[in-house]
Amino acid sequence: MATYTLLCKWTDLGRREVATLPDRVTEVTKSFEEMGGKVLGAYLSMGRYDQIVLIEAPDDEVAAKFAVFVAGRGYAETETLRCFSMNEMRSLI
């Protein structure tokens, strides 16, 4: 499976509902597993982004579906990055 990073900035709703974040992450993780993906980790972060989520997905379409699902809940805006391991990099060069 391919690895992706979701960079999340909370919306006003996300900031108001920050106390429910751990439970929402659990819900979203279960939904993503039903899509065929896996959440490797979800982290609160300091700096430009409020939250970072590392995922594995079978393809770009499933990763995009997850990003749309997360954004559609209204708590965060997302930016998704495809990540390549160094072994994958070797095959690119």
Side-chain angles (χ1 to χ4, degrees):
M1 286 208 281
T3 304
Y4 302 83
T5 301
L6 272 75
L7 304 172
C8 305
K9 287 186 178 184
W10 296 336
T11 61
D12 288 341
L13 175 62
R15 284 186 289 278
R16 282 194 308 271
E17 299 289 329
V18 71
T20 65
L21 179 64
D23 293 334
R24 287 187 281 118
V25 167
T26 299
E27 291 172 18
V28 167
T29 296
K30 288 178 186 174
S31 295
F32 188 47
E33 288 171 356
E34 292 171 5
M35 294 178 204
K38 180 180 179 182
V39 173
L40 301 175
Y43 306 93
L44 178 68
S45 59
M46 299 186 314
R48 186 171 158 186
Y49 296 95
D50 300 305
Q51 187 177 352
I52 297 172
V53 183
L54 302 175
I55 64 169
E56 285 184 339
D59 54 42
D60 289 345
E61 288 76 15
V62 172
K65 184 176 180 179
F66 180 61
V68 168
F69 174 74
V70 169
R73 293 170 54 96
Y75 295 98
E77 297 174 354
T78 65
E79 181 178 341
T80 305
L81 308 174
R82 170 66 164 91
C83 303
F84 295 89
S85 70
M86 289 302 108
N87 284 337
E88 291 171 315
M89 167 91 181
R90 284 184 176 86
S91 70
L92 297 173
I93 54 176

